[in-house]
Amino acid sequence: MSESPPTTPVCYRHPGRETYVRCTRCDRPICPDCMREASVGFQCPECVAEGRRSVRPARTAFGGGAAGRHGYVTKALIALNVLMMLLSIASDRGGDAAIGGSGFGGLMGGSTPLTDWGSVLGNAIFPDGTVGGIAEGEWYRLVTAMFLHYGVVHLLLSTWALWVLGRYLEASLGPLRFLALYLVAGLGGNVAAYLFSAENQLTAGASTSIFGLFAALVVVERKMGRDISQVLPILVVNLVFTFTVPSISIPGHLGGLVVGALLALVFAYAPRSRRSLVQLAGGAVIVAALIGLALVRTAAIVGG
């Protein structure tokens, strides 16, 4: 009785191709087109895909994505602030900011139609006789104000601080948590300005968010066991400027500082086992509290 000749293995994905190479994970024959180089030997495409699904993505110490090291959110926020400054200058078609001595487009701190539209304002009667402000339903001002600036110098100071602080915090917290920190701190500063400023006083600037970033940097560094002796003097200097330089919103800066610190504490000290849930819930509670305070202020203005 004659024996049948041994058959040559063929690629499991390409039956017409003979091969003697096998996947080191599943041991199936694979042709050169299906070989994926591995640490030992070769693997088939399916085993490579399965391996990628089983590998957990890199996370920061606070649960954020490692993509934050690229600083994409920081760069996007800077670009948005610059864009809003350009739109602010473009909105000043009548040239009032330049002719009035404040500098082109409010270079030295003048207002423009766009800043009048988007700054924090409780309640006021405009020159054309219309009434506006947060108490009149313009709630968007609590958000838009953190992206508007009174002049190019104001913008440059804010974007420089955002560039320095933002890249580090974004890498430490991850993109989503850093963005939440920026927005919630800015909201906190704007709500504080709404609560404690005159009803007809306009307030704007990214400094509400920037002070929140300063506070978060202190919290993050302490949590990581790092020295904060170089951070505190810079924060103190900024606080001195806040209380001594005219036209700076003290409530806005302090509000951003406090809210930024609170949210950073939630991010940094959430229990590891339920970190994302606690961080989300803590952030939601802070935002809800800020909205509640704004509602109370609105009721006081309308009722008064």
Side-chain angles (χ1 to χ4, degrees):
M1 183 176 181
S2 61
E3 296 181 359
S4 59
T7 58
T8 303
V10 295
C11 176
Y12 83 98
R13 298 178 76 232
H14 302 98
R17 300 180 185 179
E18 298 179 351
T19 180
Y20 289 94
V21 179
R22 292 180 176 272
C23 173
T24 56
R25 290 189 65 179
C26 66
D27 200 40
R28 290 180 293 188
I30 48 177
C31 68
D33 288 342
C34 297
M35 295 178 189
R36 302 294 184 266
E37 190 171 359
S39 57
V40 178
F42 297 92
Q43 293 183 8
C44 66
E46 292 181 14
C47 287
V48 170
E50 181 64 28
R52 287 174 179 168
R53 284 194 294 269
S54 63
V55 175
R56 296 182 63 183
R59 314 296 293 180
T60 71
F62 305 101
R69 65 181 182 271
H70 300 296
Y72 294 138
V73 174
T74 299
K75 295 171 185 176
L77 289 172
I78 291 175
L80 180 57
N81 278 285
V82 171
L83 174 62
M84 294 301 288
M85 186 73 249
L86 294 176
L87 292 175
S88 181
I89 294 173
S91 72
D92 189 31
R93 289 184 239 181
D96 293 338
I99 296 172
S102 298
F104 177 69
L107 178 62
M108 300 306 295
S111 62
T112 69
L114 187 61
T115 58
D116 291 343
W117 168 82
S119 299
V120 173
L121 177 70
N123 192 17
I125 299 176
F126 296 108
D128 61 1
T130 59
V131 179
I134 299 170
E136 295 295 324
E138 297 175 348
W139 287 85
Y140 64 86
R141 291 177 178 271
L142 292 174
V143 177
T144 55
M146 71 181 79
F147 299 104
L148 295 171
H149 294 83
Y150 290 114
V152 177
V153 173
H154 189 195
L155 171 71
L156 291 176
L157 291 173
S158 294
T159 52
W160 175 80
L162 177 56
W163 177 249
V164 173
L165 298 170
R167 289 178 300 161
Y168 177 80
L169 285 171
E170 186 178 350
S172 299
L173 298 174
L176 291 179
R177 286 164 177 78
F178 170 70
L179 179 60
L181 173 67
Y182 183 94
L183 295 176
V184 175
L187 177 64
N190 290 338
V191 169
Y194 180 38
L195 291 174
F196 301 109
S197 299
E199 295 178 14
N200 59 349
Q201 180 177 327
L202 290 167
T203 303
S207 51
T208 52
S209 297
I210 299 302
F211 269 78
L213 299 187
F214 267 118
L217 180 62
V218 173
V219 172
V220 167
E221 291 294 271
R222 288 295 298 166
K223 174 62 177 176
M224 300 296 290
R226 297 170 181 159
D227 182 21
I228 60 172
S229 60
Q230 295 181 339
V231 179
L232 290 178
I234 300 175
L235 177 57
V236 170
V237 169
N238 279 274
L239 287 172
V240 169
F241 275 113
T242 297
F243 285 99
T244 58
V245 176
S247 302
I248 289 182
S249 174
I250 296 175
H253 285 191
L254 295 184
L257 185 75
V258 171
V259 172
L262 289 175
L263 186 58
L265 286 170
V266 172
F267 286 163
Y269 292 94
R272 190 179 185 87
S273 59
R274 293 173 292 177
R275 183 163 50 195
S276 296
L277 179 61
V278 172
Q279 290 172 342
L280 179 61
V285 168
I286 293 174
V287 172
L290 293 173
I291 294 174
L293 289 172
L295 288 171
V296 171
R297 173 61 168 164
T298 298
I301 293 177
V302 174

